[in-house]
Amino acid sequence: MNVKGASDGKREFYITTPIYYPNALPHVGTAYTTIIADFVARFKRSQGYDVFFLTGNDEHGMKIARVAEKNGMTPQEFVDGLAEKFKDVWKQLGITYNRFIRTTDKDHEKTVKEIIIKSNKNGDIYKGYYEGYYCVDCEQYYTEKDLVDGKCPIHNKPLEILSMESYFFKLSAYQDRLLKFYKDNKEFLPSKYKQEVINRVKKGLRDISISRPKRYLTWGIEFPLDQNHVTYVWFDALTNYLTGIGYSCSENEKNKEMFNRYWPADIHFIGKDITWFHCVIWPAILMSVGLPLPKRVGINGFLSVDGQKISKSLGNAIDPVSICDYYETIDVLRYYLLREIPFGSDGDFSRSSLKERYNNELVNEYSNLVNRVFVMFSKYCSKSHNGNIDYDDSLWQGTDEIIKSYIKHIDRLEFKQAIDTIWQLISKANSYINEKEPWKLAKGDDGSGNGLEKAAKVIYSLIEYLGIINSLFAPILPSSSEKLAKHLGLKEPIRISELKQFGKNIDIDRVNHKGLILYRRKE
Ligand code: ME8
């Protein structure tokens, strides 16, 4: 089997989520991006990559300072509490991050200052005066043409004109370099968003304000060029991707080694609302300080709930942990989000369609297949087989191509299609059982006299096949794949990079002689 991992020689894989504003707890929308990133991180580990997966919180800025005040706390107290709550949610959702970064972390403060000083040395920062429509919720200014009916295009709120002294980053100087970068690095922008970004960049770029006077905002990292200013949240936030893997120009050797090992990021996962920051501003900042650019930005669409935008006022922000509690597994929410919504498109979350997918697909199809195979195994396959273990290669035919197609789809961020390929394996296994009818073979109905041996060959092949299905399902269904691996006598699901030739993955003597129910129906 030739389905190994890295083809470009790089064995490290650096993957990030946005860092979230801890002004509220994660909801299914926030969890969506993190779950996707976790799925890809698990998949890459399974391919044998050395993965570094970064997530965290974006703790500075006006918005946070205001929520903290409303709650009668200092901003620091407030974000400390929320950081623990976020970590707890990610733990309960089985998110396998390597570091939870907080923009109040000391090493992050250092990164931000170093990047600003470097960019300033390269002539990209100047002091000016800023006037514009400012949205506190977005933490950004808008020009008149961005407004919708005179209101914030994202929050639909009327905006005030705000004017202040500010330091600017010369984004305008990067137009040509950005356009060249997009042209030379076709993978960087996802196709769905590519033209929109390029067209906007072609229209011309305005320099961006990157500081706030302290009299206006104190909750932030002091601007290293002027102690009367703090750093604007976006400049602060974006550089988290450097801090997370130990960026530090002058700090210790270990950090440097780690940074050089993982940078540039292989993929930044984000929601479509922050495309501009990641696809335009972030590469320009990196160009300014002479760092290599990320290879790719993966952009998810927005989730609604039962057809409505997720919002606090509607009270429809579903707690992702409650879904896991109800189904008693972390698998279902992940499966649903990855399977239901084509990555990149907007999608709708509904509890009823989730239940339907769970009952129809995970319970009726998948769990039933698994149980059926183990029940047959316990019934027809003797523990004393005298080493007489044979496999039916006809079941294997075409599977190599299906596995390759699974990998190809994930590499193209076509997660729904990747899951479809696993369903091809499941339906193949079901048709194989129906065609071979091992229960009839066992009875010797074909008159050849060695019925049990023939049945066992079919069942051993199915057991082996379950090991392969489980390997592909593991990044999506981490909880049941652990259970199934144990039942198959393995320590953990087989890594994709370690899948062997058909018939060599499972030690039949270690397989449990009992049925196994992975998921139970919910009414
Ligand atoms: O923007 N559907 O933080 P944020 C899908 N701190 N994804 C959603 C979603 C929905 N309904 N709601 C939120 C920020 N998201 C900045 C980011 S990064 C350097 C700084 C996800 O808490 C989506 O990924 O507002 C979106 O980009 C992210 O949450 C924004 O989270």
Side-chain angles (χ1 to χ4, degrees):
M1 200 180 312
N2 178 25
V3 289
K4 296 238 187 302
S7 55
D8 60 357
K10 187 182 177 230
R11 300 305 304 175
E12 290 80 24
F13 193 85
Y14 180 30
I15 178 168
T16 68
T17 71
I19 47 170
Y20 299 103
Y21 290 129
N23 54 346
L25 284 174
H27 51 70
V28 281
T30 339
Y32 180 43
T33 314
T34 303
I35 284 174
I36 285 165
D38 184 68
F39 159 64
V40 175
R42 286 177 186 260
F43 165 72
K44 285 286 164 188
R45 281 186 209 114
S46 177
Q47 273 193 315
Y49 283 84
D50 165 12
V51 172
F52 196 98
F53 173 17
L54 182 73
T55 190
N57 281 357
D58 188 357
E59 303 187 321
H60 290 126
M62 181 87 83
K63 191 156 46 183
I64 303 299
R66 286 193 181 160
V67 184
E69 199 183 327
K70 254 197 208 155
N71 283 275
M73 287 185 218
T74 64
Q76 189 66 58
E77 280 166 356
F78 184 75
V79 296
D80 285 351
L82 263 291
E84 289 317 305
K85 288 186 182 150
F86 265 74
K87 283 190 212 165
D88 190 45
V89 168
W90 299 143
K91 188 170 168 203
Q92 295 196 59
L93 298 184
I95 305 300
T96 54
Y97 60 80
N98 294 86
R99 175 173 174 180
F100 185 91
I101 189 165
R102 302 178 52 190
T103 51
T104 52
D105 287 341
K106 276 280 157 266
D107 58 342
H108 181 64
E109 183 178 333
K110 199 163 179 297
T111 303
V112 171
K113 290 182 172 171
E114 284 179 9
I115 293 293
I116 291 171
I117 289 168
K118 230 179 179 179
S119 176
N120 184 49
K121 268 196 193 138
N122 294 339
D124 281 333
I125 293 179
Y126 64 92
K127 194 175 180 179
Y129 202 67
Y130 200 86
E131 190 170 80
Y133 294 90
Y134 188 73
C135 175
V136 174
D137 289 337
C138 301
E139 305 266 14
Q140 80 170 92
Y141 279 99
Y142 285 100
T143 59
E144 192 143 14
K145 68 173 175 12
D146 296 327
L147 306 185
V148 176
D149 299 329
K151 294 178 182 165
C152 165
I154 308 279
H155 295 94
N156 195 27
K157 281 185 187 168
L159 301 183
E160 298 161 39
I161 292 189
L162 209 70
S163 162
M164 65 175 83
E165 188 182 67
S166 172
Y167 285 84
F168 286 82
F169 172 69
K170 272 193 204 162
L171 184 63
S172 60
Y174 288 91
Q175 184 185 25
D176 292 345
R177 274 175 277 183
L178 285 167
L179 290 171
K180 181 169 183 330
F181 170 67
Y182 304 143
K183 200 166 163 223
D184 296 345
N185 297 275
K186 300 258 182 301
E187 259 217 329
F188 179 75
L189 293 169
S191 54
K192 196 172 166 69
Y193 297 90
K194 190 173 268 179
Q195 220 37 56
E196 194 183 319
V197 170
I198 292 177
N199 290 347
R200 240 181 109 183
V201 173
K202 276 187 179 158
K203 274 192 197 154
L205 297 169
R206 290 158 67 103
D207 294 343
I208 54 164
S209 160
I210 59 163
S211 80
R212 299 281 176 270
K214 277 190 184 162
R215 72 185 129 75
Y216 173 65
L217 174 72
T218 50
W219 181 236
I221 295 175
E222 187 171 289
F223 199 67
L225 310 176
D226 185 337
Q227 58 179 13
N228 295 318
H229 279 244
V230 293
T231 311
Y232 167 62
V233 283
W234 272 101
F235 208 99
D236 170 352
L238 287 165
T239 50
N240 91 85
Y241 301 130
L242 302 178
T243 312
I245 45 166
Y247 175 86
S248 172
C249 299
S250 50
E251 193 76 354
N252 64 50
E253 282 304 312
K254 217 172 122 210
N255 277 2
K256 224 183 240 174
E257 186 274 323
M258 180 173 168
F259 182 77
N260 290 334
R261 188 144 48 94
Y262 291 109
W263 191 259
D266 291 273
I267 188 155
H268 292 309
F269 275 107
I270 59 164
K272 67 176 186 181
D273 55 328
I274 53 178
T275 300
W276 185 253
F277 296 99
H278 286 79
C279 297
V280 180
I281 297 177
W282 180 226
I285 293 173
L286 291 167
M287 284 175 184
S288 170
V289 298
L291 283 170
L293 305 195
K295 295 197 183 140
R296 201 173 192 190
V297 178
I299 305 180
N300 65 254
F302 254 48
L303 279 192
S304 53
V305 167
D306 297 322
Q308 286 187 305
K309 197 176 162 208
I310 302 176
S311 87
K312 265 193 199 162
S313 52
L314 289 171
N316 62 350
I318 293 177
D319 169 11
V321 175
S322 71
I323 307 279
C324 300
D325 288 347
Y326 177 77
Y327 287 96
E328 297 165 80
T329 173
I330 59 170
D331 298 348
V332 184
L333 180 63
R334 302 166 68 94
Y335 177 77
Y336 174 76
L337 292 173
L338 287 157
R339 171 104 168 120
E340 177 84 8
I341 304 153
F343 182 74
S345 304
D346 290 343
D348 189 50
F349 177 93
S350 101
R351 288 184 201 265
S352 57
S353 76
L354 187 145
K355 189 175 277 183
E356 224 167 89
R357 277 211 187 272
Y358 173 74
N359 281 333
N360 292 345
E361 298 176 15
L362 292 182
V363 179
N364 289 357
E365 290 290 323
Y366 183 47
S367 186
N368 265 356
L369 166 71
V370 170
N371 192 43
R372 213 172 159 200
V373 172
F374 283 118
V375 168
M376 288 192 292
F377 179 67
S378 64
K379 213 162 162 187
Y380 304 121
C381 300
S382 156
K383 287 182 188 170
S384 53
H385 48 68
N386 303 326
N388 199 1
I389 296 176
D390 198 7
Y391 296 90
D392 180 358
D393 280 341
S394 77
L395 175 59
W396 172 248
Q397 270 164 30
T399 305
D400 216 348
E401 270 56 52
I402 294 178
I403 297 174
K404 280 182 187 154
S405 157
Y406 165 85
I407 293 171
K408 183 191 74 194
H409 282 305
I410 299 179
D411 285 341
R412 291 184 182 168
L413 311 184
E414 296 164 349
F415 307 133
K416 191 177 160 65
Q417 292 89 324
I419 298 180
D420 285 343
T421 63
I422 307 179
W423 281 104
Q424 284 178 33
L425 299 182
I426 293 173
S427 72
K428 205 170 164 200
N430 276 324
S431 330
Y432 180 73
I433 297 175
N434 295 341
E435 180 203 324
K436 297 289 175 189
E437 300 180 305
W439 52 93
K440 283 193 186 162
L441 289 177
K443 280 196 216 147
D445 286 2
D446 68 353
S448 62
N450 55 350
L452 273 179
E453 251 173 55
K454 283 188 173 167
K457 181 172 170 176
V458 167
I459 297 163
Y460 292 151
S461 304
L462 284 162
I463 292 277
E464 182 75 12
Y465 213 61
L466 287 187
I468 293 161
I469 293 174
N470 198 41
S471 167
L472 306 195
F473 253 152
I476 304 155
L477 308 173
S479 167
S480 75
S481 69
E482 288 293 327
K483 270 191 220 159
L484 177 49
K486 298 247 149 52
H487 215 78
L488 288 167
L490 302 163
K491 271 204 207 98
E492 55 182 17
I494 308 159
R495 287 180 175 218
I496 292 164
S497 61
E498 282 163 16
L499 278 174
K500 296 189 197 94
Q501 198 192 327
F502 193 58
K504 302 255 183 253
N505 292 294
I506 310 281
D507 177 354
I508 289 295
D509 290 333
R510 300 179 72 99
V511 178
N512 205 320
H513 277 259
K514 250 199 262 164
L516 172 68
I517 310 254
L518 291 176
Y519 302 109
R520 285 179 196 281
R521 195 174 172 79
K522 285 274 178 195
E523 294 309 331

